[in-house]
């Protein structure tokens, strides 16, 4: 084992010198890029010794600009391994050039600013792992499992679904039910009710039940079925739907109403015999504390590229653990961030299952990676390479750059 | 003399209005032009916290708004929200706001519900656009903004100014007639530097010693002594303390009867704010870092604060703030909006304040900020009040040439 050999020598060396084995790094630059045709934005932290770390952000506008123009320049010269300090400064009272303090502009949680901070944080963990020569999970408390259960979007085509279950041993699917009764014209200008705050008629509820039952029949009783609502319903409609689909025994009903009023979420949870999941639009410990204290959900789903990053999510998991709530992270990112999530999932005792929506089937996203994590029977194995363990394909990323962005 | 002729002679503006109205009635149409948004642009300026937003229409009419205390909002407007609005009727403000809050994906983005967060740059961008749309709506209909927000219940709005030291405070009170002053107390014990460094505890000095509490109390005593018993004295903490330190400070300054203690702890947890409020006789104010009705709902339901301070350039805009005020009214809680914007933004806030029964006082920062004030018309000050302009829209004209002089590279303002 060449790696172990090298490590032992390095360690002996460091001990002999009375120093730690960590190189003294300085951040020289932080750059973020947007791509054509992909929601993923990549972030790279560069250092004076040539070592870099790469992170990712999804589901936002403006965060690449915030990094390139404001947050990135403020990090130049800092030690990239002081991650807690960098995060706290970006959350609290660090001075970002030519603007006010983060405490006044970050928002109560979430949005482009926190997405930018999350993307940088993920890149810093990748860099820290590489600098220390260890996989990221070793820096987040150490793992409690070697492999992380995942689920994907579906079920789709019946033959393909059966093959996924039989051959790939897929453990779960997530099905969007809000689209079943979405009647609106997406170009309709003046009636947003067509796109949110849905009310549902009895006939529509029956239609949803029929489709959910068909999906359950297709995947059988053992494979998990999650039902995604994308925040679309009003409270009563959500309760009616939850009661009607209960016999199909879904693993959860996801964001039946927007996560901006957790009293409504808690009322739904208490009214239906189906677990409630939410979290992709909840941010930081401060946001999740409210979910936990109100017992508004059975399962929380932080999106680590939006909610504050990997360590913030590790803290969120620890916080909801006290309330006996499970964590099933939101995962719509490319394999780079998904694998970063898997490192966190490997360390959280109260982990349930990780969304891996694209399931290695998105050709564009796969082409942006030099390697993929190993998949085995419904699980992803945690890479043992230093950092996140996924290398992005810089040439491919350069091909898809939006105008005005550079990647090197 | 015929009554209408008399009024017409006495008030030329009214005559024009009457003619206009008569015209529109005869024609059976509303007096609103059919407008289409042709562009929305935001500009970042050198050395200025304010970002100005302009909505352009196919008929040449424009509206101006402002956002601040943000990074990235101008990029979000120029590259995403602006392009999403081209071709829309700018007067469908509620429709535009709801789309950009919920399910209308702007170019280069996904449905806002998944990326807006609660506050921060996206909502700042939305707030700036919304303010510009109201300015435009007022101009399009030929009415001051307050007429579109429910109508006014007062024609001038009480304001307070900032002062750092007792002498300065007294001078401002004597020269302006203002009835209240706000002073920061967090800087008294802030020893560290605020550059991005390793120990943020130096800037966010959570835990105070007895000596530091005494220092704060003696400063507050000196302010009260200079101002006398009648002038309102607001104490700003900028979210800097831990819960117990906040309570200890409140207790120490109680004898000086401040108007309020502002954001003694961060507005991230309504329970801790509530704990401070319940431990002291001093009113607790917070809100500049709370966003939308959804954010204020918790603070109101928990009665965690005595006074709320929405920042309309960040929390969702003028109409969202009007709704927040209406919600607070039900809890018998007044609003004292946060006001660190330029005169444009602050006068827009004043229009909202003019319509709100539970309005207390409006923050008016930058009274003497020349670099900022030279970018636009001044407000009409009157012994601690600001008059709400009676001209169409917000009623503050920007000095475009002055703004263009300090544009950051890559931005335009025409």
């Amino acid at each position: 084992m060449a790696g172990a050999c090298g490590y032992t020598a390095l360690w002996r060396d460091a001990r002999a010198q009375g120093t730690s084995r960590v190189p003294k790094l300085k951040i020289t630059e932080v750059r973020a890029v947007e791509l054509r045709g992909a929601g993923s934005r990549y972030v790279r932290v560069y250092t004076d010794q040539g070592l870099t770390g790469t992170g990712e952000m999804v589901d936002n506008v403006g965060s690449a600009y915030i990094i390139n123009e404001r947050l990135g320049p403020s990090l130049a010269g800092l030690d990239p391994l002081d991650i807690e300090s960098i995060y706290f400064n970006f959350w609290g009272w660090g001075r970002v050039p030519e603007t006010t303090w983060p405490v006044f502009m970050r928002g109560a949680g979430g949005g482009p600013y926190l997405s930018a901070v999350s993307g940088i944080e993920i890149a810093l963990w990748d860099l820290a792992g590489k600098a220390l020569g260890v996989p990221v999970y070793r820096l987040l408390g150490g793992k409690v499992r070697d492999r992380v259960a995942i689920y994907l979007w579906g079920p789709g085509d019946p033959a393909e679904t059966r093959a996924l279950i039989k051959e790939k041993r897929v453990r779960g699917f997530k099905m969007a039910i809000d689209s079943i009764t979405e009647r609106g014209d997406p170009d309709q200008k003046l009636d947003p009710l067509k796109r949110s705050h849905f009310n549902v008629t009895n006939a529509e509820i029956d239609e949803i039940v029929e489709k959910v039952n068909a999906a359950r029949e297709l995947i059988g009783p053992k494979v998990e079925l999650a039902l995604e609502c994308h925040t679309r319903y009003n409270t009563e409609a959500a309760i009616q739907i939850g009661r009607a689909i209960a016999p199909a025994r879904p693993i959860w009903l996801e964001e039946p109403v927007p996560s901006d009023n957790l009293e409504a979420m808690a009322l739904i949870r208490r009214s239906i015999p189906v677990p409630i999941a939410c979290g992709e639009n909840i941010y930081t410990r401060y946001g999740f504390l409210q979910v936990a204290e109100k017992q508004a959900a059975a399962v929380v789903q932080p999106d680590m590229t939006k909610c504050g990053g990997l360590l913030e999510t590790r803290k969120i998991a620890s916080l909801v653990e006290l309330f006996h709530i499970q964590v099933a992270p939101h995962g719509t990112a490319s394999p780079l961030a998904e694998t970063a999530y898997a490192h966190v999932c490997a360390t959280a005792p109260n982990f349930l299952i990780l969304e891996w929506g694209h399931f290695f089937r998105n050709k564009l996203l796969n082409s942006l990676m030099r390697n993929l994590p190993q998949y085995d029977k419904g699980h992803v194995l945690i890479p043992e390479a230093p950092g996140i363990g996924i290398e992005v394909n810089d040439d491919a990323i350069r091909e898809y750059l939006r105008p005005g962005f550079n990647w090197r | 003399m015929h009554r209408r002729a008399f009024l017409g002679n006495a008030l030329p503006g009214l005559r024009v209005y009457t003619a206009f109205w008569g015209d529109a009635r005869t024609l059976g149409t509303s007096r609103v032009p059919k407008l289409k948004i042709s562009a929305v642009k935001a500009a970042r300026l050198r050395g200025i916290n304010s970002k100005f937003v302009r909505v352009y229409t196919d008929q040449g009419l424009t509206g101006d708004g402002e956002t601040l205390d943000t990074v990235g909002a101008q990029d979000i407007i120029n590259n995403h929200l602006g392009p999403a609005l081209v071709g829309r009727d700018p007067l469908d403000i509620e429709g535009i706001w709801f789309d950009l809050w919920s399910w209308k994906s702007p170019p280069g983005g996904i449905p806002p519900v998944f990326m807006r967060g609660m506050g921060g740059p996206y909502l700042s961008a939305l707030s700036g656009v919304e303010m510009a749309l109201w300015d435009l709506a007022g101009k399009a209909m030929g009415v001051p903004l307050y007429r579109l927000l429910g109508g006014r219940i007062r024609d001038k709005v009480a304001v307070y100014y900032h002062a750092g030291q007792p002498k300065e405070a007294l001078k401002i009170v004597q020269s302006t007639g203002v009835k209240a002053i706000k002073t920061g107390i967090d800087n008294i014990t802030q020893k560290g530097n605020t550059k991005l460094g390793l120990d943020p505890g130096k800037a966010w000095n959570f835990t105070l010693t007895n000596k530091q509490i005494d220092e704060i109390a003696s400063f507050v005593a000196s302010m009260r002594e200079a101002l006398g018993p009648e002038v309102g004295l607001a104490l700003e903490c900028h979210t800097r303390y831990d819960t117990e330190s906040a309570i200890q400070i409140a207790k120490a300054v109680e004898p000086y009867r401040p108007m309020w203690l502002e954001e003694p702890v961060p507005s991230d947890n309504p329970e801790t704010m509530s704990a401070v409020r319940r431990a002291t006789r001093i009113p607790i104010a917070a809100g500049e870092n709370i966003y939308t009705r959804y954010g204020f709902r918790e603070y109101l339901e928990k009665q965690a604060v005595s006074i709320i301070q929405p920042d309309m350039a960040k929390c969702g805009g003028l109409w969202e703030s009007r709704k927040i005020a209406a919600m607070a009214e039900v809890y018998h809680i007044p609003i004292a909006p946060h006001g660190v914007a330029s005169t444009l933004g602050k006068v827009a806030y004043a229009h909202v304040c003019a319509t709100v029964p539970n309005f207390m006082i409006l923050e008016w920062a930058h009274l003497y900020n020349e670099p900022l004030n030279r970018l636009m018309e001044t407000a009409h000050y009157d012994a601690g009040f600001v008059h709400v302009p009676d001209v169409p829209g917000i009623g503050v004209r920007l000095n475009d040439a002055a703004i263009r002089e300090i544009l950051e590279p890559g931005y335009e303002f025409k």
Side-chain angles (χ1 to χ4, degrees), chain A residues 88-225:
Chain A
F88 194 84
N89 272 315
F90 279 154
W91 174 255
W93 284 89
R95 194 65 160 121
V96 178
E98 289 190 50
T99 185
T100 184
W101 289 276
V103 74
F104 302 118
M105 66 183 186
R106 59 171 148 80
Y113 182 84
L114 202 64
S115 292
V117 174
S118 305
I120 292 172
E121 196 252 19
I122 294 172
L124 289 172
W125 282 114
D126 185 44
L127 179 67
K130 288 171 180 167
L132 276 52
V134 295
V136 166
Y137 70 78
R138 291 212 185 273
L139 304 174
L140 297 172
K143 64 185 168 182
V144 296
R145 59 183 68 81
D146 296 315
R147 44 175 57 203
V148 163
I150 64 168
Y151 69 92
L152 63 143
W153 298 327
D157 171 70
E160 191 193 3
T161 301
R162 286 189 203 100
L164 280 170
I165 294 169
K166 203 162 171 231
E167 289 152 29
K168 296 273 189 182
R169 310 285 291 276
V170 157
R171 296 171 61 94
F173 291 95
K174 183 153 85 186
M175 170 185 179
I177 61 169
D178 55 313
S179 50
I180 297 172
T181 54
E182 185 186 1
R183 309 285 180 213
D185 162 7
D187 294 326
Q188 161 74 265
K189 278 182 189 149
L190 275 179
D191 190 0
L193 285 178
K194 297 264 167 68
R195 290 194 297 273
S196 65
H197 290 24
F198 286 172
N199 206 358
V200 282
T201 62
N202 286 345
E204 286 174 321
I205 292 173
D206 292 345
E207 201 181 336
I208 292 169
V209 169
E210 195 184 308
K211 297 250 166 71
V212 169
N213 286 343
R216 172 53 84 198
E217 202 171 322
L218 172 60
I219 65 174
K222 288 185 186 159
V223 176
E224 299 290 2
L225 178 63

Side-chain angles (χ1 to χ4, degrees), chain A residues 70 104 109 195 294 306, chain B residues 44 99 114 118 197 298 314:
Chain A
R70 290 285 171 266
F104 302 118
R195 290 194 297 273
K294 288 170 183 164
K306 296 198 298 183
Chain B
R44 194 154 66 81
D99 276 350
F114 303 115
M118 285 304 289
E298 286 236 62
K314 296 198 299 183

Side-chain angles (χ1 to χ4, degrees), chain B residues 248-269:
Chain B
Q248 296 298 333
I249 292 168
K251 294 239 176 252
V253 300
E254 271 176 3
Y256 313 110
R257 298 177 68 189
M259 185 162 75
W260 67 62
L261 190 68
E262 182 167 336
E263 274 202 305
V265 290
S267 301
D268 297 321
N269 188 337

Side-chain angles (χ1 to χ4, degrees), chain A residues 41 59 65 70 74 82 85 89 93 95 98 103-105 108-109 192 195 230 260 281 294 306, chain B residues 44 69 74 98-99 103 108 113-116 118 194 196-198 238 240 288 291 298 314 408 411:
Chain A
R41 285 94 161 95
D59 290 1
Y65 170 92
R70 290 285 171 266
S74 76
D82 292 333
S85 167
N89 272 315
W93 284 89
R95 194 65 160 121
E98 289 190 50
V103 74
F104 302 118
M105 66 183 186
R195 290 194 297 273
H230 284 126
D260 43 27
N281 299 306
K294 288 170 183 164
K306 296 198 298 183
Chain B
R44 194 154 66 81
D69 284 3
Q74 63 283 350
F98 196 85
D99 276 350
W103 278 89
V113 74
F114 303 115
M115 63 181 190
R116 60 170 194 239
M118 285 304 289
T194 53
L196 211 57
L198 195 56
H238 285 129
R240 301 255 197 172
E288 78 165 281
Y291 305 90
E298 286 236 62
K314 296 198 299 183
E408 289 269 8
Y411 295 94

Side-chain angles (χ1 to χ4, degrees), chain B residues 105-185:
Chain B
S105 305
I110 60 162
V113 74
F114 303 115
M115 63 181 190
R116 60 170 194 239
M118 285 304 289
Y122 185 89
L123 204 64
S124 295
L126 182 51
S127 304
V129 171
E130 193 252 18
M131 190 191 292
L133 290 172
W134 282 114
D135 185 44
L136 180 69
K139 289 170 178 169
M141 295 183 233
V143 295
L145 197 43
Y146 65 77
R147 292 212 186 276
L148 304 176
L149 301 172
R152 68 187 166 179
I153 60 172
R154 62 182 67 81
D155 56 7
K156 55 181 190 175
V157 165
V159 296
Y160 67 86
Y161 301 139
H162 289 186
Q165 296 300 327
K167 264 188 195 162
E168 180 197 3
L170 183 61
K171 200 175 139 201
I172 291 173
V173 168
Q174 285 171 344
S175 62
T176 65
V178 77
K179 312 281 190 303
I181 287 289
K182 182 155 88 187
T183 194
I185 58 168

Side-chain angles (χ1 to χ4, degrees), chain B residues 4-225:
Chain B
R4 178 175 281 183
F6 166 76
L7 278 175
N9 288 335
L11 301 162
L14 185 64
R15 189 171 52 189
V16 172
Y17 174 79
T18 311
F20 198 2
W21 178 79
D23 223 39
R25 281 289 291 261
T26 320
L27 291 163
T29 63
S30 87
R31 37 192 294 269
V32 185
K34 191 76 192 153
L35 294 162
K36 274 193 174 164
I37 296 175
S38 54
V40 183
K41 292 282 181 194
R44 194 154 66 81
L45 308 180
R46 285 196 305 273
I48 300 278
N49 183 15
S50 296
K51 281 93 175 135
F52 297 106
V53 185
R54 186 163 279 176
V55 176
Y56 302 85
T57 61
D58 57 347
Q59 296 185 35
L61 202 62
T62 62
D64 292 337
E66 178 177 351
T67 183
L68 75 170
D69 284 3
T70 172
V71 285
Q74 63 283 350
D75 173 70
I76 294 170
I77 292 170
N78 292 341
N79 297 333
H80 306 287
L81 303 194
L85 295 179
V86 171
R88 282 197 78 160
D89 182 337
L91 305 194
D92 293 334
I93 301 179
E94 186 88 60
I96 289 172
W97 195 93
F98 196 85
D99 276 350
L100 294 182
W101 168 254
S102 61
W103 278 89
K104 182 99 176 169
S105 305
I110 60 162
V113 74
F114 303 115
M115 63 181 190
R116 60 170 194 239
M118 285 304 289
Y122 185 89
L123 204 64
S124 295
L126 182 51
S127 304
V129 171
E130 193 252 18
M131 190 191 292
L133 290 172
W134 282 114
D135 185 44
L136 180 69
K139 289 170 178 169
M141 295 183 233
V143 295
L145 197 43
Y146 65 77
R147 292 212 186 276
L148 304 176
L149 301 172
R152 68 187 166 179
I153 60 172
R154 62 182 67 81
D155 56 7
K156 55 181 190 175
V157 165
V159 296
Y160 67 86
Y161 301 139
H162 289 186
Q165 296 300 327
K167 264 188 195 162
E168 180 197 3
L170 183 61
K171 200 175 139 201
I172 291 173
V173 168
Q174 285 171 344
S175 62
T176 65
V178 77
K179 312 281 190 303
I181 287 289
K182 182 155 88 187
T183 194
I185 58 168
D186 55 316
N187 53 329
I188 298 170
T189 51
Q190 179 199 324
K191 304 297 184 206
N193 71 53
T194 53
K195 288 211 187 78
L196 211 57
L198 195 56
D199 189 0
K202 291 213 175 118
W204 190 335
N205 47 9
F206 297 109
T207 307
L208 294 182
T209 61
N210 286 345
K211 183 169 172 286
Q212 288 174 314
I213 290 168
D214 291 346
E215 247 178 280
I216 290 171
S218 96
F219 171 75
V220 174
S222 69
M223 285 294 279
R224 176 51 79 202
E225 197 183 349

Side-chain angles (χ1 to χ4, degrees), chain A residues 147-380:
Chain A
R147 44 175 57 203
V148 163
I150 64 168
Y151 69 92
L152 63 143
W153 298 327
D157 171 70
E160 191 193 3
T161 301
R162 286 189 203 100
L164 280 170
I165 294 169
K166 203 162 171 231
E167 289 152 29
K168 296 273 189 182
R169 310 285 291 276
V170 157
R171 296 171 61 94
F173 291 95
K174 183 153 85 186
M175 170 185 179
I177 61 169
D178 55 313
S179 50
I180 297 172
T181 54
E182 185 186 1
R183 309 285 180 213
D185 162 7
D187 294 326
Q188 161 74 265
K189 278 182 189 149
L190 275 179
D191 190 0
L193 285 178
K194 297 264 167 68
R195 290 194 297 273
S196 65
H197 290 24
F198 286 172
N199 206 358
V200 282
T201 62
N202 286 345
E204 286 174 321
I205 292 173
D206 292 345
E207 201 181 336
I208 292 169
V209 169
E210 195 184 308
K211 297 250 166 71
V212 169
N213 286 343
R216 172 53 84 198
E217 202 171 322
L218 172 60
I219 65 174
K222 288 185 186 159
V223 176
E224 299 290 2
L225 178 63
L227 301 179
E228 163 72 276
C229 306
H230 284 126
T231 81
R232 300 258 204 163
Y233 300 107
N234 66 42
T235 308
E236 186 54 38
I239 292 171
Q240 296 299 331
I241 291 168
R243 286 183 178 142
I245 50 86
R249 299 178 71 188
I251 186 170
W252 65 61
L253 187 69
E254 182 168 337
E255 267 201 311
V257 292
S259 299
D260 43 27
N261 186 330
L262 295 169
E263 315 293 347
M265 198 72 80
L267 176 63
I268 296 167
R269 187 179 180 204
R270 279 161 187 59
S271 304
I272 67 172
V274 174
I276 293 293
C278 63
E280 77 165 282
N281 299 306
I282 300 172
Y283 307 92
T284 78
R285 281 159 289 158
Y286 296 97
F288 283 95
L289 175 67
Q290 302 291 336
V291 180
E293 281 193 344
K294 288 170 183 164
Q295 304 269 359
V299 176
V300 295
Q301 308 173 294
D303 185 311
M304 303 186 210
T305 71
K306 296 198 298 183
C307 78
L310 306 184
L311 183 56
E312 185 68 15
T313 303
R314 185 64 195 85
K315 291 172 177 174
I316 289 165
S318 175
L319 189 151
V320 302
E321 189 183 354
L322 307 183
F323 294 81
H324 312 302
I325 291 172
Q326 297 289 98
V327 181
H330 183 244
T332 60
S334 77
L336 175 69
E338 291 280 358
T339 306
Y341 306 163
H343 280 276
V344 176
C345 296
T347 71
N350 52 331
F351 164 72
L352 177 61
I353 193 165
L354 169 64
E355 179 176 20
W356 203 298
H358 296 297
F359 193 61
F360 317 111
R361 293 186 300 184
N362 184 316
K363 289 203 176 88
L364 168 60
L365 292 182
N366 286 351
S367 78
L368 301 178
M369 306 292 129
R370 287 213 182 276
N371 63 321
L372 296 173
Q374 208 181 325
Y375 172 84
D376 181 41
K377 295 182 192 140
H379 293 81
V380 161

